[in-house]
Amino acid sequence: MLFIIIVGCGRLGSYLANSLSYEGHSVVVIDKNSDAFDALSVEFSGFRVEGDATEFSVLKQAKTAEADMFIATTRKDNINLMVAQIAKRFFNIKNVMARVFEPAREKLYKELDIDIICPITIAGRMFLELIWQAQNQTEDEK
Ligand code: AMP
């Protein structure tokens, strides 16, 4: 069982929180908007921390120092980069991951030893795979 902190309880953050809690991990979700916690399922057995994750006091309240894993999922690359760096540098968390929309920033995060999920790059790759499959089928049928 891992102790996992998730920043942002939007569509992605709540999906991860619900799934990881269901798998038996200990999860803390941080969101500055308490309404966002409505997206957590009734089975969610973790903790909710209301506050701005860029504030040190909020990260301390979430017991960040004890976390095995830290995942930044907000819509803002700058917020994700900031909190991920704090988690890495100040709290020495080994596994730090962040959602990054801007593909050009992927390299920077990697240099900071932060694992990146870039939805644009992933969607692009998946579209290309479907296009290649369709292209191969069309060519086979000729
Ligand atoms: P979404 O817009 O569905 O991707 O969700 C993003 C979530 O991240 C929203 O629920 C926001 O309230 C939350 N969020 C954005 N910035 C922060 C922040 N600095 N600290 C905590 N939560 C945040």
Side-chain angles (χ1 to χ4, degrees), residues 4-142:
I4 303 168
I5 296 189
I6 297 172
V7 175
C9 193
R11 283 166 292 184
L12 177 62
S14 61
Y15 174 79
L16 291 174
N18 287 330
S19 306
L20 292 167
S21 173
Y22 181 77
E23 284 178 19
H25 298 292
S26 174
V27 179
V28 173
V29 195
I30 305 172
D31 202 294
K32 60 182 183 180
N33 173 13
S34 62
D35 290 345
F37 297 129
D38 292 348
L40 295 171
S41 69
V42 281
E43 289 92 15
F44 177 75
S45 61
F47 292 94
R48 303 154 174 81
V49 172
E50 185 187 344
D52 185 334
T54 60
E55 287 173 20
F56 209 72
S57 59
V58 172
L59 292 175
K60 273 180 91 174
Q61 194 192 334
K63 298 200 172 17
T64 302
E66 293 163 35
D68 299 300
M69 201 172 272
F70 186 97
I71 312 171
T73 75
T74 81
R75 280 176 171 267
K76 296 178 198 115
D77 286 4
N78 287 339
I79 299 287
N80 291 341
L81 177 58
M82 189 191 292
V83 296
Q85 281 190 95
I86 296 171
K88 195 92 207 171
R89 304 278 164 252
F90 287 94
F91 292 98
N92 291 316
I93 299 175
K94 196 167 175 280
N95 296 298
V96 178
M97 304 167 199
R99 162 160 85 167
V100 183
F101 286 99
E102 177 50 62
R105 291 187 180 176
E106 271 184 277
K107 197 170 164 277
L108 168 69
Y109 275 75
K110 277 187 190 135
E111 280 166 9
L112 297 168
D113 196 22
I114 292 164
D115 289 318
I116 293 307
I117 298 291
C118 178
I120 311 293
T121 311
I122 291 171
R125 274 194 215 123
M126 292 181 90
F127 269 113
L128 283 176
E129 269 172 35
L130 285 177
I131 292 161
W132 292 331
Q133 273 174 25
Q135 188 185 6
N136 287 339
Q137 263 174 11
T138 315
E139 280 166 9
D140 287 349
E141 283 161 15
K142 274 185 190 165

